[in-house]
Amino acid sequence: MQLSRNRRRGALQGRIVHWLFFACAAMSVVTTFGIVASLLRESLGFFGEVPVWEFLFGTTWSPILRDAEGNRHYGVLPLVSGTLLVATIAAAVAVPAGLAIAIYLSEYAPDKVRRSIKPVLEVLAGIPTVVYGYFALTFVTPLLQSLPVPYLQENLLVFNALSAGLVMGLMIIPMVSSLSEDAMVAVPRSLRHAAYALGGTRLEVSLRIVVPAAFSGIVASFILAFSRAIGETMLVTLAAGATPRLTFNPVESIQAMTAFIVQLALGETPHGSLEYNTIFAVGLLLFFFTLGMNVLGHFLVRRFREEY
Amino acid sequence: MTTTTESTSSTDTSLSVTHLDMYYGSFRALRDINLDVKRNSVTALIGPSGSGKSTLLRCFNRMNDLIPGARVEGQVLFNGEDIYHPSIDPTEIRLRIGMVFQKPNPFPKSIYDNVAFGLRINGFRGNMDEAVERSLRRAALWDEVKDRLKASGLTLSGGQQQRLCIARAVAVQPDVILMDEPASALDPISTLAIEDLMRELSRDYTIIVVTHNMQQAARVSDWTAFMTMGEDRAGYLVEIGDTHQIFTNPRDERTEGYITGRFG
């Protein structure tokens, strides 16, 4: 009798715990859908007045200031180009450096060195982005201007995509290196031994066996890092400028999508106005960018997976 | 007379080990190993677990170099050359002395790329398709895979994977092939296929095989070396001789005890 009562209480407890954990898991899903729903709802108002086509392919972004004829322009391409310019520069720094660090840590470094370098990289990942922003603005930009490169001396603006991109590259290196290294360490030792036994050098084993075998994880690290660069806000707000301009010249001042959202949210634009709703349109586009990156990541991971 | 004997013996001998000690850090894993490995024959290393058979095998192609703290004293001559001489590049040694591992470990690449890998990294300039076919034929795998060379090596069965690993080792045309319990993870039929292959390959290659299976050693090898371990847990060689003689009339009672199943 007593036995069965205890059993019932255990079963009830089990059900409660089950639902509690389910609720926690459901929370993140619900939040995601909530964000998407609110983005969609608010931007619906915007797209009621500005055609999607004009928004996506217009080459002038000036939602607040009117031009000489008194018109506002809602072409988002300058913001997109600004974001992609900075993120591309960042990737150009972080992908090779992060991969090289990962290869070094996983294939070359003695245990002692690995154990001391990894925490340093994690510190680098933990620095607040506002610090990186001022680092770019007050250190890297003057440094670039003082380089003996006449083009930079004459053309590099105080706010520019180049220094923001370079510093963002530094910022996302730990992301690339740490995830790539995890993927490389997970490659079975037996594959390395097989390659060494065929007369492979350490470099050949690293580049031809370990990197291909860990490729899915490495690509995932690239995608995540690029996603992070696209979504990064503070650094580009501080160092890249607030000049929406359709350009791929890194010495110029640009405005990234995230930086525009900050600018508008901090301003005095009345809530609910068309200008204000541009935030949601840009936010929605940003969301699709990162979503697209993740889908691309999954595709690449499947396409190039070497299973072991 | 002496000179003649010496010269014959040196051309017959592929690997010659003298006073070899092997350490992992301060632990001595092998003690005073002395043995000659005859060319174009199968030499089996037998002995209880922990007697250092695999450790000794990895001394022949300097795979122990990959383990931090591993160190070798004494001499290993390969075709009369000291493979531990400072001027010797271990990757060169491994190119000449190939290896097949206990667990089949094909690369997660296509069957073709598995076989071609060793040739590619060593700057092979000839006809790759022919070289791949030749190696797969040598490993008695060609007929089974010729229609799916682009399929992953991991789609093969365990026995086929091990033959793929043998094809991969054969592709770079080594002189010696080291096999570390190559059939211990395989079913009996695949095991027989590997054993046949060893016999067949020994016409052109010098094969050294570590095995726990004494019937296997008796079936495939020309020479058998019996190792065991001492009080200090260091492995050492008890005796080496003609396989028939070792199994029917061992000189040392420890060998007799092991092969008759009294210990180990």
Side-chain angles (χ1 to χ4, degrees), chain A residues 125 129 168 171-172 175 223-232 290:
Chain A
T129 58
M168 194 188 288
M171 191 178 85
I172 60 177
M175 208 161 176
I223 302 266
L224 279 175
F226 200 72
S227 249
R228 168 88 197 272
I230 286 176
E232 168 52 32
T290 45

Side-chain angles (χ1 to χ4, degrees), chain A residues 96-260:
Chain A
L99 192 55
I101 291 171
I103 292 175
Y104 173 72
L105 287 179
S106 144
E107 305 302 309
Y108 285 81
D111 245 15
K112 236 190 230 163
V113 177
R114 185 194 351 250
R115 275 202 298 271
S116 50
I117 287 185
K118 286 201 80 167
V120 175
L121 280 171
E122 271 147 35
V123 168
L124 201 60
I127 295 174
T129 58
V130 64
V131 175
Y132 279 108
Y134 279 106
F135 176 65
L137 185 62
T138 62
F139 181 77
V140 176
T141 298
L143 183 76
L144 290 173
Q145 283 167 333
S146 71
L147 288 180
V149 182
Y151 182 77
L152 284 183
Q153 285 171 350
E154 286 158 26
N155 297 297
L156 190 73
L157 299 170
V158 173
F159 297 101
N160 64 83
L162 183 60
S163 64
L166 292 176
V167 173
M168 194 188 288
L170 285 181
M171 191 178 85
I172 60 177
I173 281 176
M175 208 161 176
V176 175
S177 66
S178 154
L179 290 173
S180 297
E181 192 220 339
D182 288 347
M184 290 167 62
V185 167
V187 173
R189 204 168 282 273
S190 66
L191 294 183
R192 294 184 178 84
H193 285 174
Y196 280 122
L198 287 165
T201 62
R202 204 173 275 265
L203 187 65
E204 284 160 349
V205 174
S206 305
L207 295 184
R208 293 186 183 230
I209 297 299
V210 179
V211 169
F215 193 72
S216 59
I218 292 172
V219 168
S221 82
F222 293 169
I223 302 266
L224 279 175
F226 200 72
S227 249
R228 168 88 197 272
I230 286 176
E232 168 52 32
T233 307
M234 194 50 95
L235 209 172
V236 285
T237 306
L238 288 174
T243 321
R245 188 181 304 173
L246 186 57
T247 177
F248 287 100
N249 186 346
V251 302
E252 291 195 47
S253 176
I254 52 96
Q255 184 167 43
M257 291 191 274
T258 49
F260 166 76

Side-chain angles (χ1 to χ4, degrees), chain A residues 190 194 196-197 208 306-307, chain B residues 94 105-106 108-109 122 154 168:
Chain A
S190 66
Y196 280 122
R208 293 186 183 230
E306 279 193 348
E307 287 190 45
Chain B
R94 296 185 196 126
N105 55 354
K109 301 176 185 298
N122 290 294
L154 296 166
R168 180 173 73 183

Side-chain angles (χ1 to χ4, degrees), chain B residues 116-180:
Chain B
F117 179 83
L119 293 169
R120 287 195 180 126
I121 61 170
N122 290 294
F124 178 68
R125 285 275 166 270
N127 185 327
M128 188 64 84
D129 291 353
E130 276 175 17
V132 169
E133 178 175 343
R134 188 170 57 237
S135 309
L136 286 168
R137 281 189 190 282
R138 290 280 1 214
L141 189 60
W142 174 251
D143 290 332
E144 290 158 68
V145 301
K146 63 183 174 200
D147 299 322
R148 47 172 176 150
L149 294 174
K150 294 279 167 262
S152 166
L154 296 166
T155 60
L156 300 175
S157 73
Q160 288 172 324
Q161 287 189 12
Q162 196 61 302
R163 275 180 283 147
L164 178 61
C165 292
I166 292 173
R168 180 173 73 183
V170 166
V172 295
Q173 302 191 299
D175 293 352
V176 181
I177 302 175
L178 309 173
M179 298 188 173
D180 191 355

Side-chain angles (χ1 to χ4, degrees), chain B residues 207-264:
Chain B
I207 294 178
I208 307 175
V209 57
V210 167
T211 179
H212 265 116
N213 179 332
M214 277 179 288
Q215 285 78 26
Q216 183 171 74
R219 279 194 298 264
V220 302
S221 70
D222 304 295
W223 306 92
T224 296
F226 173 65
M227 296 177 71
T228 189
M229 94 184 127
E231 294 289 308
D232 58 352
R233 307 210 333 267
Y236 63 95
L237 181 74
V238 176
E239 65 176 306
I240 177 168
D242 178 88
T243 295
H244 186 70
Q245 174 251 311
I246 292 279
F247 278 93
T248 55
N249 186 22
R251 281 188 296 267
D252 194 292
E253 60 182 24
R254 286 166 297 185
T255 314
E256 191 178 2
Y258 182 74
I259 59 174
T260 55
R262 275 208 297 270
F263 80 98

Side-chain angles (χ1 to χ4, degrees), chain B residues 12-264:
Chain B
D12 278 357
T13 303
S14 175
L15 284 152
S16 171
V17 179
T18 39
H19 299 305
L20 181 81
D21 288 89
M22 153 86 210
Y23 297 84
Y24 292 120
S26 59
F27 170 65
R28 177 150 74 172
L30 293 176
R31 168 161 38 100
D32 196 27
I33 308 284
N34 293 281
L35 63 86
D36 282 357
V37 176
K38 295 274 175 276
R39 195 182 299 284
N40 294 0
S41 66
V42 179
T43 302
L45 302 180
I46 62 167
S49 298
S51 58
K53 309 179 294 292
S54 295
T55 300
L56 176 60
L57 195 71
R58 287 195 301 265
C59 286
F60 291 132
N61 66 343
R62 294 190 58 172
M63 283 297 274
N64 286 325
D65 290 19
L66 302 174
I67 300 166
R71 154 174 77 83
V72 160
E73 284 172 12
Q75 213 175 34
V76 179
L77 298 182
F78 170 54
N79 294 341
E81 248 189 303
D82 180 5
I83 67 168
Y84 283 95
H85 191 273
S87 69
I88 296 282
D89 176 0
T91 62
E92 179 106 4
I93 295 298
R94 296 185 196 126
L95 190 59
R96 305 281 302 280
I97 303 177
M99 192 165 201
V100 175
F101 297 81
Q102 180 172 4
K103 222 179 120 233
N105 55 354
F107 299 127
K109 301 176 185 298
S110 71
I111 293 167
Y112 186 100
D113 287 342
N114 260 281
V115 181
F117 179 83
L119 293 169
R120 287 195 180 126
I121 61 170
N122 290 294
F124 178 68
R125 285 275 166 270
N127 185 327
M128 188 64 84
D129 291 353
E130 276 175 17
V132 169
E133 178 175 343
R134 188 170 57 237
S135 309
L136 286 168
R137 281 189 190 282
R138 290 280 1 214
L141 189 60
W142 174 251
D143 290 332
E144 290 158 68
V145 301
K146 63 183 174 200
D147 299 322
R148 47 172 176 150
L149 294 174
K150 294 279 167 262
S152 166
L154 296 166
T155 60
L156 300 175
S157 73
Q160 288 172 324
Q161 287 189 12
Q162 196 61 302
R163 275 180 283 147
L164 178 61
C165 292
I166 292 173
R168 180 173 73 183
V170 166
V172 295
Q173 302 191 299
D175 293 352
V176 181
I177 302 175
L178 309 173
M179 298 188 173
D180 191 355
E181 300 189 49
S184 68
L186 304 179
D187 62 85
I189 292 173
S190 303
T191 300
L192 282 181
I194 300 286
E195 289 180 6
D196 286 347
L197 199 49
M198 281 192 241
R199 290 301 327 155
E200 162 69 24
L201 290 171
S202 71
R203 288 194 298 180
D204 301 310
Y205 303 93
T206 305
I207 294 178
I208 307 175
V209 57
V210 167
T211 179
H212 265 116
N213 179 332
M214 277 179 288
Q215 285 78 26
Q216 183 171 74
R219 279 194 298 264
V220 302
S221 70
D222 304 295
W223 306 92
T224 296
F226 173 65
M227 296 177 71
T228 189
M229 94 184 127
E231 294 289 308
D232 58 352
R233 307 210 333 267
Y236 63 95
L237 181 74
V238 176
E239 65 176 306
I240 177 168
D242 178 88
T243 295
H244 186 70
Q245 174 251 311
I246 292 279
F247 278 93
T248 55
N249 186 22
R251 281 188 296 267
D252 194 292
E253 60 182 24
R254 286 166 297 185
T255 314
E256 191 178 2
Y258 182 74
I259 59 174
T260 55
R262 275 208 297 270
F263 80 98

